[in-house]
Amino acid sequence: MNELVPGGNLPLPGGALTLRVPGPFDVSALITDESGKVGGDADFVFYNQPTAPGARLRDDTLTIDPARLRAGADRVTVVISPADPGTPLGRLPAPTLHVTNTGGQPLTRFTPPRPQRETVLLLAELYRRGTGWKLRALGQGYADGLAGIARDFGVDLVEDSAPAPGRGAGTGGARSATPRPTPATAPRPTTTLRPASAPDPRRSASVPAPRTVSPTGPHPGSPAARTPDPTGFLTLANSARAKAGSPPVSPDPRLTSAAQAHASDMAAAGHLGTESRDGTSVYQRVTRAGYTYLTIGEHLVSGPRTPAEFVDYCLRTEQARRTLLDRDFTHAGLAQAVDPRSGDVYWTALWATPLTAGNLARTAEKVAALTNAERARAGLPALAVDPLLAAAAQAHSSDMVARAFYSHTSPDGSQPWDRAAAAGSRRRTIGENIACGQRSAAEVVEGWMNSPGHRANILKPDFTHIGIGFAGGGQTGTYWTQLFGA
């Protein structure tokens, strides 16, 4: 029997297949088309919705008949999560996928590298190749569950007010630590959702994200802004932006360099994704190229042959159009690369706004204002911004980017109250919310308010002060921290 390794693939025979993952796991499947998005809620197969055309879930076994999938479906992504929600996969036995054909004969087996903090794993995918189908081993993990996957695949998840025992899915892309009542009592963080490593669906996406580091980025009229436009891409893009009332963007060689590296890697892999084969995200490429951003968005697309076709595609696709016309962006870079095997053209367009001390401060102020608006609606007094809590929150967001983790517990073992004390704070009660991947201050506060643990921190009557931090880069583009004190 064939044993697959991450990235390995196997041609599949005709007929139905069974995919089984024994153990304390929930198995799910996402059915997507060429856009990389589900066509609707019916394309998400899980324990509460166990059937779809061509797909059936029973206990730990998923049966897929590619010929009977809905029209337009060209990919089925197999997902696993702990049956006990919130449990890191690293605490469970290693999952193994067993694949058999319609006669029950074993075809292949795949055991991914052992997960650590991840609570959801993209285990494998069945995908159309020409007139046949293939299976690819993935093993890509999400630290915070199904909401991150939902964001990338277009599934709407609603958090139950009282989930059934052993089941649960949250929204909001965040984690929260419960307040520390005394120095001797440590909290158990509640976990909600956001990816640790992004999947690679075939899609065009924009993920604007705040960033905090020292200010960089050219201003209009600088040498970078006067870079020529040999492909005509910016002329086309700025023409469309002008018609929509958006200001023009200027080319930036650092964004172009990062875009070229990412497009070339996608072409070499023959697959779209925000993360390349070596685990480098497109956001990390931007920051490593020297562009420090406040907001960023990207288009990852295959198919168009020319910049004109690329821009036309973006204008005809709702989410891609929003990115192209976004008024907040000031700089852009475009690159393409060709897959030598298939001849497919892979595109990466990057859109960004450079960080300044002023717009960084305004973003933090907006998070605090939105948080206080929620408290006012609950009849609670506003929180005052505390510079020491802000310094600790900022340091934690930056540390999560720098050391590539997403947790209330730092790699050195420090907890929120330890970081507050290290920043000079003497407040006795400390609480923390963190989140990653959100597009704006409004989105991150909304996500926290949609999650019971985070909402409890925001609306805790005892808290009197707050500090906000966020940093861009890493695997998901942005990392937010709220640190509360009393």
Side-chain angles (χ1 to χ4, degrees), residues 26 47 82-85 163-168:
D26 283 334
Y47 52 83
D84 182 11
R167 305 292 188 189

Side-chain angles (χ1 to χ4, degrees), residues 31-35 37-40 42-43 52-54 65-75 128:
I31 301 167
T32 55
D33 53 26
E34 194 174 59
S35 71
K37 302 292 186 183
V38 297
D43 283 347
D65 186 348
R68 300 176 68 87
L69 294 171
R70 67 163 174 85
D74 70 353
R75 192 176 301 263
R128 190 188 303 273

Side-chain angles (χ1 to χ4, degrees), residues 76-103:
V76 179
T77 303
V78 180
V79 179
I80 64 163
S81 56
D84 182 11
T87 302
L89 288 167
R91 297 181 185 175
L92 302 177
T96 297
L97 173 68
H98 300 264
V99 183
T100 58
N101 65 12
T102 189

Side-chain angles (χ1 to χ4, degrees), residues 251-269:
D252 187 283
R254 294 165 294 182
L255 294 179
T256 301
S257 173
Q260 186 61 69
H262 199 73
S264 297
D265 196 281
M266 290 193 299

Side-chain angles (χ1 to χ4, degrees), residues 4 24 80 100 261 308 312 346 351 389 406 408 413 417 444 458:
L4 289 177
I80 64 163
T100 58
D312 180 65
Y346 286 78
W351 312 78
L389 293 180
Y406 177 63
H408 297 291
W417 42 92
V444 75
I458 289 174

Side-chain angles (χ1 to χ4, degrees), residues 151-171:
R151 182 194 66 182
D152 287 292
F153 286 85
V155 178
D156 290 327
L157 290 181
V158 178
E159 186 170 284
D160 296 331
S161 57
R167 305 292 188 189
T171 58

Side-chain angles (χ1 to χ4, degrees), residues 71-448:
D74 70 353
R75 192 176 301 263
V76 179
T77 303
V78 180
V79 179
I80 64 163
S81 56
D84 182 11
T87 302
L89 288 167
R91 297 181 185 175
L92 302 177
T96 297
L97 173 68
H98 300 264
V99 183
T100 58
N101 65 12
T102 189
Q105 299 167 316
L107 295 177
T108 190
R109 184 169 58 192
F110 171 55
T111 302
R114 188 172 184 83
Q116 298 298 320
R117 294 188 179 93
E118 293 89 340
T119 56
V120 166
L121 201 66
L122 303 185
L123 193 57
E125 63 181 4
L126 287 73
Y127 62 100
R128 190 188 303 273
R129 180 64 73 186
T131 58
W133 285 75
K134 301 181 78 173
L135 173 77
R136 178 185 286 118
L138 296 176
Q140 296 176 331
Y142 279 63
D144 293 287
L146 292 174
I149 292 176
R151 182 194 66 182
D152 287 292
F153 286 85
V155 178
D156 290 327
L157 290 181
V158 178
E159 186 170 284
D160 296 331
S161 57
R167 305 292 188 189
T171 58
R175 287 182 175 178
S176 88
T178 54
R180 183 194 188 196
T182 66
T185 304
R188 290 177 61 91
T190 61
T191 302
T192 55
L193 317 166
R194 190 57 73 180
S197 59
D200 46 2
R202 302 184 68 85
R203 57 101 168 91
S204 169
S206 164
V207 187
R211 164 72 175 172
T212 173
V213 197
S214 57
T216 61
H219 297 284
S222 69
R226 294 194 297 267
T227 302
D229 181 23
T231 66
F233 162 67
L234 283 172
T235 300
L236 293 165
N238 281 332
S239 175
R241 289 173 65 86
K243 292 177 182 177
S246 299
V249 291
S250 301
D252 187 283
R254 294 165 294 182
L255 294 179
T256 301
S257 173
Q260 186 61 69
H262 199 73
S264 297
D265 196 281
M266 290 193 299
H271 204 65
L272 290 171
T274 57
E275 186 176 308
S276 60
R277 295 168 296 174
D278 65 358
T280 302
S281 76
V282 67
Y283 315 111
Q284 290 171 313
R285 293 191 189 279
V286 172
T287 54
R288 290 175 185 176
Y291 192 104
T292 305
Y293 58 82
L294 176 73
T295 55
I296 191 166
E298 84 275 3
H299 289 116
L300 307 177
V301 179
S302 66
R305 310 296 298 185
T306 66
E309 290 182 8
F310 175 84
V311 172
D312 180 65
Y313 163 80
C314 292
L315 291 173
R316 289 186 288 105
T317 307
E318 181 181 357
Q319 186 174 356
R321 178 184 176 88
R322 287 200 303 268
T323 300
L324 191 150
L325 302 180
D326 194 316
R327 294 180 58 85
D328 289 339
F329 296 132
T330 58
H331 298 100
L334 176 76
Q336 68 178 75
V338 179
D339 181 345
R341 297 155 298 190
S342 66
D344 291 341
V345 181
Y346 286 78
W347 298 83
T348 299
L350 296 172
W351 312 78
T353 303
L355 179 92
T356 68
N359 58 27
L360 173 61
R362 286 189 293 273
T363 298
E365 290 169 2
K366 187 169 184 180
V367 173
L370 291 168
T371 300
N372 280 330
E374 296 293 347
R375 288 178 65 88
R377 277 190 278 273
L380 297 170
L383 303 173
V385 174
D386 182 327
L388 297 179
L389 293 180
Q394 182 59 58
H396 189 54
S397 287
S398 298
D399 192 32
M400 286 191 287
V401 170
R403 292 200 278 179
F405 73 98
Y406 177 63
S407 175
H408 297 291
T409 305
S410 299
D412 59 11
S414 64
Q415 301 286 343
W417 42 92
D418 300 319
R419 295 188 288 271
S425 174
R426 295 189 177 183
R427 302 193 181 279
R428 291 182 55 83
T429 302
I430 296 292
E432 183 179 80
N433 287 344
I434 61 175
C436 62
Q438 285 75 10
R439 303 175 181 183
S440 66
E443 183 180 344
V444 75
V445 173
E446 180 183 6
W448 280 325

